[in-house]
Amino acid sequence: MAITPTVKGETTHTGTTMGSESAGRWFRHVAFVLAIGCGLWLTACGQGHADQSGDDDRDHGESHDPSAGKSWSVTAWGSQFEIYPETDPLIAGEIASAHVHVTHLDGSSPVADGAVEIVFRSPSGEEAFRSEAPVRTGIFNVAVEPSSPGEFDLSFRIETPAAKEEIRGGRVRVGSRQQPGGILVAPAPKGGDGGEPLPFLKEEQWRSDFSTSWVRRGELARSLGALVRVRPPAGGERLLSSPLAGVVSAGVAWPYPGQPISRGAPLLRVTPLVAGEHSLAELEASAASFEIERTALRGRLARLEELLVLEATSRREVEEVRHRTDILEAQRAAAESDLEAALATRAGLAHGAIELDAPFDGEVAEVSVTPGATIAAGDDLVRVVRTDMAWLEAALSPMDAAQLAPGQPLRGLVLTPRGGREPIELSDVRLVSVAPEVSARTGKVAAFFEVGTPGAGGSQALALGVAMDAVILLGEVRPGVVIPSTALVDDGGVTVVYLQLSGESFLRQEVHVVERQGSRVLVDGLEPGQRLVHRGGDAIRRASLMSSGEAHGHVH
């Protein structure tokens, strides 16, 4: 008994009994139909066509021949969503199942709630086929039942609780059972240099840190690379030491590292130890004693000189007294000098102490003494630094240093802190100076840049003493294709990126980095209109290395 396939509007009639021969033919027929169905199913899941370009909304049309009646797919990108339907052949009056993958472009996450419409539009009107909810997160099943044959503009409408968008999807043809229809023109992104497309399924994309964007032109400043160290500006670091021997105490409160200070604020107080082991009274008595003895010797010397004229005394005795007078004069002068120094130390000081004040606004960097410590003259007490600005000391190659000159305008600096932290872009930068010689120790030339730091103490990233990699942005710019540095993948020592050809099809593309500027790079090897994987390229590479070559597809 022959079996007639079911067509809309028709019914299939079968007998009430079946012989073994008829049963065998029936089972073979069913197996054949199932095999054809599975083939169409795998073709739908494995096939991908891309949609529209983000370069001024230009369509790079990709024509298709739907006469074979195969399942088809198309990929379309809007500003908020990517849509990727896999659809059965289009036959007027019959239902074609469409498995539609919908992805949030921000974060590349599957759409979990909302509705999707597939719209066929012609001069006579439009037909919309809608699914009110996903059958699984990110996947909507849409029953497409076009009422009449012909060619139609294809678009998609996505509605979620947070956003709505309509995305163009090319052009389709609706055919008959003899000549089923499908995609005619699919606006597709530009390809690359060739090579075998690599599959990477939507489910894998949704599980990865994955994101794509259009390749666009831009510009980057010509730059120099250097290792820089943050340091205080010239004169912005001061080491306060004791001017005399004494006992140290706090000015107001005991200073500590990181303490904000203001110019003129008292930091420490030193109470002097006068003339070492001698008190002020002892110095006064000593000076008075020397003065009395000096006066007496000078009187005797005058008397002896008179007697020498009368030859009543010897010249030797006169010389001895004169010598003793000179020695006593020197002792008296030294005693008076010690007394004057002691009196000057005490003059105008509260309770006989000397206060050490902050020389500028900034912070305490280091404290070298403890309260109550006895110190000698010249001992280091506290180190303070300015924090309203900082200098960056850059180590440059002699060739790069020759491209800098004081007063030269700069676009800024891009600093890359250690530990994988986000780059810091500084625009308020001034080149202070370039060292006149090459360091014999490092083989580098030092250049100094002045940068402002926000607020007292600056940012932690610009803490004094921190070393980091830097890119010095010169005045000139280079135009070209600018992409995020996260798109670059090291493939066995070769720098590559991955281009998206369709929803689940990607292409490996080699590129050459021309300039780097923090999180952006200027490259050769790409052109506007390509769809770039700017996060997740490593996952595609791993998937391609692990692939065994077996067929890839979805289970819907």
Side-chain angles (χ1 to χ4, degrees):
M1 178 186 66
I3 302 297
T4 304
T6 301
V7 181
K8 187 174 181 180
E10 300 180 354
T11 59
T12 300
H13 175 72
T14 61
T16 57
T17 60
M18 183 182 298
S20 60
E21 182 178 355
S22 298
R25 289 197 304 272
W26 186 84
F27 282 112
R28 286 194 298 273
H29 185 83
V30 169
F32 175 77
V33 171
L34 289 175
I36 294 297
C38 290
L40 292 175
W41 190 265
L42 290 174
T43 301
C45 293
Q47 179 183 5
H49 301 290
D51 186 84
Q52 63 198 95
S53 158
D55 188 28
D56 300 328
D57 291 331
R58 292 179 298 173
D59 291 339
H60 306 282
E62 183 177 316
S63 299
H64 300 263
D65 180 8
S67 59
K70 295 180 179 179
S71 298
W72 57 276
S73 64
V74 68
T75 308
W77 294 271
S79 61
Q80 302 176 80
F81 302 98
E82 177 197 283
I83 191 162
Y84 172 58
E86 298 171 307
T87 311
D88 291 340
L90 298 176
I91 299 174
E94 295 193 9
I95 294 176
S97 295
H99 302 284
V100 184
H101 305 74
V102 187
T103 304
H104 290 286
L105 289 178
D106 184 9
S108 193
S109 60
V111 172
D113 189 16
V116 171
E117 281 187 337
I118 298 177
V119 181
F120 289 178
R121 188 175 287 114
S122 68
S124 59
E126 70 174 40
E127 286 186 301
F129 312 100
R130 184 179 179 91
S131 174
E132 294 290 346
V135 294
R136 205 165 66 242
T137 302
I139 300 178
F140 294 76
N141 280 346
V142 180
V144 179
E145 189 177 7
S147 60
S148 59
E151 294 186 5
F152 302 88
D153 291 327
L154 173 65
S155 63
F156 305 94
R157 296 191 186 114
I158 300 102
E159 299 177 10
T160 69
K164 295 181 179 181
E165 187 172 19
E166 180 166 342
I167 305 173
R168 292 179 302 169
R171 191 166 178 81
V172 295
R173 184 178 70 83
V174 177
S176 62
R177 296 200 62 191
Q178 290 73 29
Q179 288 189 320
I183 190 74
L184 281 177
V185 177
K190 294 179 180 179
D193 292 339
E196 187 70 22
L198 305 171
F200 192 59
L201 303 184
K202 277 295 168 197
E203 288 80 359
E204 295 176 288
Q205 298 173 32
W206 293 336
R207 290 194 300 266
S208 307
D209 181 17
F210 189 86
S211 188
T212 65
S213 60
W214 294 109
V215 173
R216 301 185 187 278
R217 291 195 176 275
E219 61 181 27
L220 285 186
R222 194 167 63 84
S223 61
L224 305 174
L227 178 67
V228 302
R229 183 175 64 88
V230 185
R231 51 165 290 174
E237 181 177 19
R238 192 76 60 83
L239 183 59
L240 304 181
S241 58
S242 177
L244 46 79
V247 178
V248 66
S249 60
V252 176
W254 191 256
Y256 56 88
Q259 175 188 357
I261 56 174
S262 300
R263 180 184 178 90
L267 297 177
L268 292 174
R269 178 177 293 131
V270 179
T271 302
L273 299 174
V274 178
E277 298 177 352
H278 299 286
S279 68
L280 188 60
E282 289 175 326
L283 290 175
E284 290 174 342
S286 177
S289 174
F290 285 132
E291 176 63 24
I292 293 171
E293 290 185 38
R294 183 186 73 102
T295 302
L297 277 178
R298 291 187 64 164
R300 184 180 178 189
L301 178 61
R303 179 63 180 162
L304 288 175
E305 287 176 344
E306 292 176 357
L307 293 175
L308 181 62
V309 173
L310 300 174
E311 297 182 354
T313 187
S314 66
R315 183 172 295 280
R316 179 178 177 181
E317 185 178 4
V318 173
E319 292 298 330
E320 287 178 354
V321 172
R322 183 179 287 121
H323 180 65
R324 287 179 57 195
T325 302
D326 291 342
I327 293 175
L328 195 60
E329 177 68 22
Q331 290 175 334
R332 184 201 64 81
E336 288 186 353
S337 177
D338 285 344
L339 178 60
E340 289 174 0
L343 292 174
T345 299
R346 290 178 176 270
L349 301 178
H351 308 293
I354 296 176
E355 286 188 341
L356 301 180
D357 298 336
F360 43 65
D361 295 344
E363 289 186 10
V364 175
E366 183 181 5
V367 180
S368 304
V369 291
T370 57
T374 299
I375 56 175
D379 283 354
D380 296 337
L381 304 181
V382 62
R383 185 166 59 89
V384 296
V385 294
R386 285 181 59 181
T387 53
D388 58 332
M389 69 172 61
W391 279 15
L392 300 180
E393 182 179 349
L396 295 166
S397 69
M399 183 178 298
D400 286 346
Q403 302 181 54
L404 297 175
Q408 175 181 354
L410 300 175
R411 288 181 173 265
L413 285 170
V414 180
L415 307 177
T416 305
R418 306 293 171 86
R421 298 176 62 182
E422 288 295 320
I424 304 167
E425 297 189 9
L426 303 175
S427 57
D428 184 13
V429 178
R430 181 177 70 89
L431 175 61
V432 178
S433 66
V434 179
E437 62 182 359
V438 178
S439 169
R441 183 174 60 86
T442 64
K444 300 289 186 179
V445 176
F448 299 91
F449 301 87
E450 183 181 276
V451 298
T453 55
S459 66
Q460 291 299 317
L462 290 180
L464 298 177
V466 169
M468 64 190 87
D469 294 321
V471 176
I472 304 164
L473 307 180
L474 305 181
E476 305 172 36
V477 296
R478 287 185 176 179
V481 170
V482 179
I483 65 174
S485 60
T486 54
L488 302 179
V489 177
D490 183 358
D491 188 4
V494 178
T495 302
V496 303
V497 298
Y498 287 88
L499 301 177
Q500 187 175 20
L501 304 180
S502 68
E504 298 179 337
S505 181
F506 297 84
L507 186 68
R508 176 184 178 276
Q509 178 72 33
E510 294 186 13
V511 295
H512 170 66
V513 176
V514 179
E515 288 284 353
R516 288 182 180 268
Q517 183 177 320
S519 60
R520 300 186 300 160
V521 292
L522 187 145
V523 298
D524 286 336
L526 297 177
E527 57 181 311
Q530 295 173 318
R531 188 78 183 178
L532 175 71
V533 178
H534 63 81
R535 284 204 313 271
D538 284 322
I540 299 176
R541 179 176 182 269
R542 287 194 299 269
S544 66
L545 294 176
M546 295 173 61
S547 175
S548 62
E550 298 177 357
H552 294 264
H554 299 285
V555 178
H556 297 292

